[in-house]
């Protein structure tokens, strides 16, 4: 289980975590904007990957660390009063601007005027994909739930799920596609951190998550809203904060579908059919309760005995 408090910044692993109406509690509840009011991601500001927030729920504090910077402490109970509006994947979102020394900290580290924004408590957002599924009355859209799934500053969903087997298979394909010392090193350093999942699944076969429509993790239920379309952000080298071409180049060879490169699966929490308390715990068995017809993708690099 990985929580990413600040969009496009580092995540941290937890053994168990509460689920609220936006997904994992505090996940992507903050984002960084530039002086035009546009949110920043690692493609625009690669050094975001070096900003590492962690949460202390007992002290109700978020600690933010970055190289050569004094740590920041932010009170989780504090909501700034200055409102700002920004667009996230086509949606207008109401945010709350910190300003002051927090603005100065981010501006100094990133080398340009920036500010930290917290999502307003009064603003709900479903996201384009969730709204589209609700309009089409898709079985995976939580259509029987009187409270539609909401998201904070994440792009599309509450949870991104990826299996260890899929990551391992990708690393193998990177080595097979072109044997060079540089690519070998890139394959060895590749981890789930490049793909920013909330849930990592162990066991099973590569790309098993493609066919999961609904899953139960203990007494918590989740419905898919489709696969994750990957962009160049997965190619950021987390050690040097520079952009390369892998692993997207290798993924494009065998995970391309109608111009999209798919890796991982998006889910929303089915709160109506889950049992309280809504808590996700590491080590809980995942049961597939309903299948999902995956997009048609090419598996040209799979050997005959490998199961996608």
């Amino acid at each position: 289980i990985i929580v990413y408090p600040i969009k496009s910044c580092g995540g941290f692993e937890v053994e168990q975590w509460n689920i609220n109406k936006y997904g994992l509690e505090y996940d992507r509840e903050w984002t960084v904007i530039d002086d035009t009011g546009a949110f920043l991601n690692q493609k625009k500001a690669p050094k975001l990957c070096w900003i590492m927030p962690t949460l202390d729920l007992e002290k109700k504090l978020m600690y933010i660390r970055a190289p050569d910077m004094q740590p920041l402490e932010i009170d989780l109970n504090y909501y700034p009063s200055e409102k700002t509006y920004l667009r996230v994947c086509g949606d207008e979102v109401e945010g709350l601007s910190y300003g002051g020394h927090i603005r100065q900290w981010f501006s100094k580290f990133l080398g340009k005027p920036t500010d930290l924004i917290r999502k307003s408590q009064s603003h709900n957002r479903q996201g384009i994909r969730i709204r589209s599924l609700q309009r089409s009355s898709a079985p995976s859209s939580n259509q029987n739930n009187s409270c539609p799934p909401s998201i904070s500053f994440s792009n599309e969903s509450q949870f991104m799920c990826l299996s260890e087997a899929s990551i391992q298979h990708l690393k193998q394909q990177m080595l097979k596609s072109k044997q060079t010392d540089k690519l070998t090193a890139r394959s060895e350093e590749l981890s789930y951190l490049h793909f920013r999942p909330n849930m990592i699944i162990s066991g099973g076969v590569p790309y098993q998550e493609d066919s999961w429509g609904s899953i139960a993790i203990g007494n918590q239920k989740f419905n898919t809203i489709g696969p994750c379309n990957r962009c160049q952000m997965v190619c950021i080298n987390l050690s040097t904060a520079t952009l390369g071409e892998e692993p997207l180049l290798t993924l494009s060879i065998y995970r391309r579908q109608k111009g999209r490169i798919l890796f991982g699966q998006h889910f929303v929490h089915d709160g109506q059919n889950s049992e309280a308390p809504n808590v996700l715990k590491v080590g809980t068995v995942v049961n597939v309760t309903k299948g999902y017809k995956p997009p048609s993708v090419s598996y040209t690099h799979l050997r005959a005995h490998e199961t996608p």
Side-chain angles (χ1 to χ4, degrees):
I1 303 171
I2 308 98
V3 183
Y4 306 87
I6 305 176
K7 183 178 179 68
S8 260
C9 294
F12 66 100
E13 293 187 31
V14 295
E15 289 298 311
Q16 66 176 52
W17 205 255
N18 291 336
I19 299 171
N20 62 20
K21 66 178 181 178
Y22 302 113
L24 291 176
E25 188 175 21
Y26 298 115
D27 187 64
R28 294 166 173 100
E29 190 165 322
W30 291 264
T31 190
V32 180
I33 63 170
D34 62 17
D35 56 355
T36 71
F39 81 88
L40 295 178
N41 57 29
Q42 290 179 21
K43 290 184 292 184
K44 301 175 185 176
K47 286 176 67 176
L48 285 171
C49 73
W50 289 346
I51 297 176
M52 306 302 295
T54 56
L55 301 176
D56 187 325
L57 298 185
E58 290 187 1
K59 295 182 179 179
K60 289 294 181 180
L61 289 174
M62 175 165 64
Y63 300 99
I64 306 175
R65 297 176 174 84
D68 301 318
M69 299 289 292
Q70 290 294 318
L72 270 180
E73 290 186 10
I74 292 181
D75 184 353
L76 296 181
N77 291 323
Y78 174 69
Y79 287 81
S81 58
E82 182 182 340
K83 291 184 179 180
T84 187
Y85 293 88
L86 59 152
R87 299 199 72 82
V88 179
C89 295
D91 297 323
E92 185 177 75
V93 185
E94 182 180 284
L96 306 173
S97 171
Y98 281 87
H101 74 284
I102 294 176
R103 175 184 293 159
Q104 293 172 3
W105 190 96
F106 279 90
S107 298
K108 179 180 178 180
F109 181 70
L110 294 173
K112 56 185 175 182
T114 53
D115 197 5
L116 183 66
I117 304 297
R118 187 171 191 176
K119 183 187 174 299
S120 170
Q121 290 178 295
S122 62
H123 188 87
N124 286 322
R125 168 180 171 246
Q126 274 71 53
I128 294 174
R129 186 179 293 204
I130 294 174
R131 289 197 303 271
S132 176
L133 286 172
Q134 288 173 334
R135 285 194 297 267
S136 64
S137 297
S140 61
S141 64
N142 265 1
Q143 59 180 326
N144 296 322
N145 195 338
S146 58
C147 182
S150 296
I151 54 179
S152 294
F153 285 127
S154 62
N155 284 358
E156 297 183 283
S157 70
Q158 296 177 337
F159 299 87
M160 210 290 286
C161 177
L162 190 59
S163 71
E164 290 180 338
S166 299
I167 298 173
Q168 187 59 36
H169 182 269
L170 169 59
K171 294 171 76 168
Q172 294 169 358
Q173 300 311 304
M174 289 172 63
L175 293 176
K176 287 168 58 178
S177 62
K178 193 174 182 181
Q179 288 286 358
T180 66
D181 291 341
K182 184 177 180 180
L183 197 55
T184 298
R186 182 62 174 150
S187 172
E188 290 175 350
E189 72 179 16
L190 189 69
S191 75
Y192 71 82
L193 293 170
H194 293 87
F195 304 103
R196 305 179 65 77
N198 295 110
M199 301 187 292
I200 293 286
I201 310 299
S202 63
V205 297
Y207 314 110
Q208 59 194 326
E209 57 270 27
D210 288 356
S211 61
W212 294 351
S214 297
I215 59 175
I217 304 178
N219 58 13
Q220 301 304 304
K221 308 296 177 61
F222 302 86
N223 296 322
T224 187
I225 58 170
C228 182
N229 180 28
R230 295 301 179 171
C231 67
Q232 279 189 312
M233 196 167 128
V234 301
C235 299
I236 298 289
N237 186 311
L238 302 181
S239 299
T240 62
T242 55
L243 182 66
E245 60 181 18
E246 290 290 359
L248 199 63
L249 181 60
T250 297
L251 281 171
S252 70
I253 298 172
Y254 74 107
R255 293 289 297 177
R256 184 185 294 275
Q257 189 262 337
K258 295 183 178 178
R260 301 186 303 160
I261 300 171
L262 308 178
F263 195 66
Q265 196 80 348
H266 286 298
F267 285 88
V268 292
H269 184 236
D270 183 356
Q272 182 175 351
N273 293 307
S274 297
E275 297 179 17
N278 298 139
V279 177
L280 202 58
K281 296 182 179 181
V282 168
T284 309
V285 173
V286 178
N287 290 298
V288 180
T289 58
K290 189 172 185 178
Y292 170 77
K293 184 179 179 182
S296 176
V297 295
S298 169
Y299 292 103
T300 54
H301 274 219
L302 291 176
R303 297 189 297 272
H305 67 275
E306 292 178 327
T307 305

